[in-house]
Amino acid sequence: MNLLIYEKSEKLGKEIYATAMKSNLFYQIRCGQSGSLFSKMEDLHPHLIVVAIELIREDIPYRLNRLSAMYPGCAFLVTGGMENYTSLLAALRSGAVSFILRPFAEISIHTALQNAVARILTMPPETSEEIGFEQAESQAELHRIKAEKLLFSMINTDNPSVFLYRDLCSFAPEYNSYHQCRVWILAAEHLPLYSMTEGSGLASSALARLMNNLMMQNHAGVAISGLKSSGEFSLFFFQDLDNSDALCRSICMEVRNLTGLLLHVGLGPVKKFPEEVQASADIARIHAKSFNLLKPSPSTITRCDPRYKTLPYNFSRLEQNLYAALLTGNSSTIRHQAHDFTATIIEQEFLCIRQMERLRLIYHGMRTNWIESFRVLYAEAAQELYSPAFVFRLPYDETGAFSADLFEQYLTDDLMAVSRFILALSAPSRLDKHFLQSVHEYVYKNYTEDLSLKQLAQQFSVSPNYLSSAFKKKYNISLLNYIHELRLTQAKELLGDPSLSIQDVSHAVGFSDAKYFSRLFQKKEGISPREYRKNLLEGTQGL
């Protein structure tokens, strides 16, 4: 079924387009520009047109009739705001199937599209002479949907499949030629169900459409069910049965690349179709729901077991060892502890996807506690540093199988990142106890240079805020004022040399701006540098 969208702005058109793409209702979707409302798009053959009421409200019956003439056999949805309510009602009286109010909500768009499609598919059939191209295509879509439902019923009912098969062939005669099949069961409990079932179930529809398209592209099979209440999808392989394992794996990897979802799949054996289709599905379902990550089954794409929701070991000792390792900052120590941690995790001889997901959450909690405890201790330093990104990912290789080596590598990389962050925060405490004395001595030796708080903080690997507050707390003077005192004291000595100008003295003690030097000197001594020199020289001459 094809959809054509005419909205008054590109932004509004994209909102409808995005929801329609996820709805699994249309083969082709296009957005026309408002200026080309009455331009023919003969290559699309739309079954449904969504049009903004602003584009037709001048003479609604005439405009809808003209659109009907351009696109015979299609239905219309109109959009508008509450200010257009009268016009929207007029459009309904003129034959529009429904309307969508602005501002748009995804659920209202989806519901309106779904109702419109249902209206189109349930139109009373006409005689074969009167059926046009558009209606014939709609009937084919209706047959496809009914065929999928019948196939789905074959693996979820105790009734003899022969009657379902008879109805199936009446809608889709091509199934007469199939004598064998394999059933794939996808255990959807392991997908993010909060997004798969919320609202109108758009996420599940999008995944269903994606996998069905991939099956058809690979000429592997045809039928895919929607999300069941028991939490599973199912696909049927009819062609290339010898290669169906590889096809199944390639489809899983394509879905993972496009959506980030790691599918957990059981693949049944080749069985007679339709007599033994349920037997193939039953075996596939067992594989889909009882896997061990560490002991792969040949008929499994990825392995998991939803029964194991907790981890079978205590984490207190493991956490202590990891924490002690990252505090050392030594990469060899961290790698060694990550290796021991990995060995402990997999020594149980059983590990499932639920356990891995829970392990990741537990580790994230430990990691957060480590970081936040140091952020509290070194709050001022923490203002200058960002927490390290969480790089501990679920460890699956390019085939979708669990990899202990990747697990260990991801853990090591993340521990190293946390270690660098914590040690950067606590840098002063790691230096000798005379850390601030070192700063004090450095400034005393280099105060005539171009010093700044930022430059000194970088010199001693701390944040500017931490250095400033720690220095003042120890010496009862800010770092900047200490630098100024050193410079002004030296300036007093240099002002006794009449061969040096005030600017020369300013530059000699580290001030780049002579006016700024004069203001500071005046503020501290109560007289200007020039007056100080005059008094100094007069006193010398009197002696």
Side-chain angles (χ1 to χ4, degrees), residues 423-438:
L423 296 183
L425 280 183
S426 59
S429 67
R430 288 165 43 241
L431 299 174
D432 59 65
K433 62 181 179 180
H434 303 297
F435 161 69
L436 291 173
Q437 184 179 339
S438 300

Side-chain angles (χ1 to χ4, degrees), residues 488-496 502 521-522 525-539:
L488 293 177
T489 300
Q490 177 66 13
K492 289 179 184 179
E493 295 184 17
L494 295 179
L495 286 171
I502 301 299
F521 194 98
Q522 174 90 28
E525 301 297 329
I527 58 176
S528 68
R530 197 174 299 281
E531 291 173 328
Y532 182 89
R533 167 177 278 181
K534 181 180 178 182
N535 294 340
L536 185 63
L537 292 177
E538 287 176 354

Side-chain angles (χ1 to χ4, degrees), residues 16-287:
I16 299 173
Y17 181 89
T19 303
M21 282 294 292
K22 294 188 290 185
S23 68
N24 197 29
L25 296 171
F26 304 99
Y27 287 128
Q28 294 187 72
I29 306 171
R30 293 187 189 173
C31 291
Q33 298 298 317
S34 58
S36 61
L37 177 59
F38 294 110
S39 299
K40 282 198 173 185
M41 299 182 70
E42 296 177 352
D43 57 330
L44 182 63
H45 301 292
H47 303 90
L48 177 64
I49 296 177
V50 177
V51 59
I53 196 67
E54 291 86 352
L55 303 180
I56 60 173
R57 64 182 177 185
E58 294 176 2
D59 188 349
I60 290 172
Y62 168 76
R63 293 294 183 102
L64 286 181
N65 287 334
R66 187 174 174 188
L67 282 171
S68 296
M70 290 168 53
Y71 305 107
C74 73
F76 300 93
L77 274 173
V78 289
T79 70
M82 285 302 297
E83 68 276 10
N84 309 122
Y85 196 71
T86 303
S87 299
L88 292 174
L89 292 178
L92 292 180
R93 289 192 292 269
S94 300
V97 295
S98 186
F99 62 84
I100 312 172
L101 278 177
R102 307 190 198 105
F104 295 138
E106 186 178 58
I107 185 63
S108 63
I109 297 174
H110 177 71
T111 301
L113 292 175
Q114 199 170 42
N115 291 340
V117 169
R119 178 86 66 88
I120 294 169
L121 293 177
T122 55
M123 289 172 58
E126 302 180 26
T127 61
S128 57
E129 293 81 5
E130 294 173 327
I131 294 178
F133 171 82
E134 294 83 1
Q135 187 174 348
E137 191 172 345
S138 297
Q139 291 297 321
E141 173 75 359
L142 179 61
H143 289 170
R144 184 185 68 82
I145 294 172
K146 290 183 177 180
E148 288 185 8
K149 290 181 177 179
L150 288 169
L151 279 167
F152 186 59
S153 298
M154 283 186 181
I155 65 171
N156 290 285
T157 180
D158 294 330
N159 297 327
S161 60
V162 62
F163 302 109
L164 296 171
Y165 178 66
R166 181 189 60 197
D167 294 339
L168 174 67
C169 293
S170 67
F171 283 108
E174 63 270 20
Y175 285 93
N176 279 306
S177 62
Y178 297 136
H179 304 292
Q180 290 180 315
C181 79
R182 297 185 74 176
V183 180
W184 154 350
I185 296 293
L186 168 64
E189 300 102 318
H190 310 291
L191 298 175
L193 289 181
Y194 62 89
S195 66
M196 298 300 292
T197 57
E198 66 179 356
S200 57
L202 295 179
S204 62
S205 297
L207 182 60
R209 175 176 178 171
L210 171 62
M211 290 196 292
N212 195 33
N213 288 343
L214 291 172
M215 288 282 284
M216 295 175 68
Q217 289 171 17
N218 286 280
H219 306 289
V222 284
I224 176 173
S225 76
L227 188 65
K228 272 190 61 184
S229 58
S230 60
E232 65 181 41
F233 286 98
S234 55
L235 281 81
F236 288 77
F237 288 95
F238 288 105
Q239 302 167 13
D240 300 321
L241 293 176
D242 293 338
N243 195 35
S244 52
D245 288 84
L247 282 171
C248 188
R249 187 179 298 279
S250 68
I251 291 171
C252 281
M253 293 308 302
E254 187 68 17
V255 171
R256 183 180 178 189
N257 292 335
L258 293 173
T259 67
L261 292 175
L262 182 66
L263 304 182
H264 312 291
V265 176
L267 193 59
V270 177
K271 291 288 185 178
K272 291 182 179 180
F273 180 75
E275 294 87 350
E276 298 180 285
V277 63
Q278 193 175 53
S280 180
D282 289 342
I283 295 173
R285 191 172 287 111
I286 291 171
H287 288 309

Side-chain angles (χ1 to χ4, degrees), residues 258-440:
L258 293 173
T259 67
L261 292 175
L262 182 66
L263 304 182
H264 312 291
V265 176
L267 193 59
V270 177
K271 291 288 185 178
K272 291 182 179 180
F273 180 75
E275 294 87 350
E276 298 180 285
V277 63
Q278 193 175 53
S280 180
D282 289 342
I283 295 173
R285 191 172 287 111
I286 291 171
H287 288 309
K289 298 193 175 185
S290 59
F291 302 143
N292 182 348
L293 279 171
L294 305 177
K295 294 182 178 179
S297 164
S299 58
T300 302
I301 304 305
T302 51
R303 295 153 292 283
C304 57
D305 191 331
R307 298 169 298 176
Y308 288 79
K309 298 183 180 180
T310 59
L311 292 160
Y313 29 75
N314 189 305
F315 264 92
S316 59
R317 181 183 63 81
L318 296 176
E319 179 179 9
Q320 291 173 7
N321 293 341
L322 290 179
Y323 186 56
L326 65 88
L327 286 181
T328 67
N330 185 289
S331 58
S332 297
T333 303
I334 292 174
R335 288 193 182 91
H336 176 73
Q337 200 52 242
H339 177 76
D340 286 350
F341 185 91
T342 304
T344 303
I345 295 299
I346 68 174
E347 71 181 2
Q348 304 296 325
E349 297 274 325
F350 189 96
L351 190 65
C352 67
I353 187 64
R354 282 291 174 86
Q355 289 176 328
M356 275 306 306
E357 290 170 347
R358 182 165 176 77
L359 170 62
R360 189 170 181 268
L361 288 174
I362 291 173
Y363 174 76
H364 187 271
M366 295 191 304
R367 176 188 198 271
T368 301
N369 289 336
W370 300 337
I371 291 173
E372 289 307 312
S373 63
F374 272 77
R375 290 180 71 93
V376 171
L377 286 174
Y378 305 99
E380 294 179 356
Q383 294 174 7
E384 304 295 326
L385 294 173
Y386 294 102
S387 297
F390 188 41
V391 298
F392 182 52
R393 301 184 295 278
L394 292 179
Y396 301 101
D397 61 21
E398 64 278 359
T399 68
F402 173 82
S403 169
D405 291 338
L406 280 180
F407 178 94
E408 184 176 329
Q409 184 60 51
Y410 291 162
L411 178 62
T412 301
D413 291 345
D414 197 71
L415 287 171
M416 292 290 289
V418 175
S419 179
R420 286 192 295 268
F421 176 78
I422 287 177
L423 296 183
L425 280 183
S426 59
S429 67
R430 288 165 43 241
L431 299 174
D432 59 65
K433 62 181 179 180
H434 303 297
F435 161 69
L436 291 173
Q437 184 179 339
S438 300
V439 176
H440 191 278

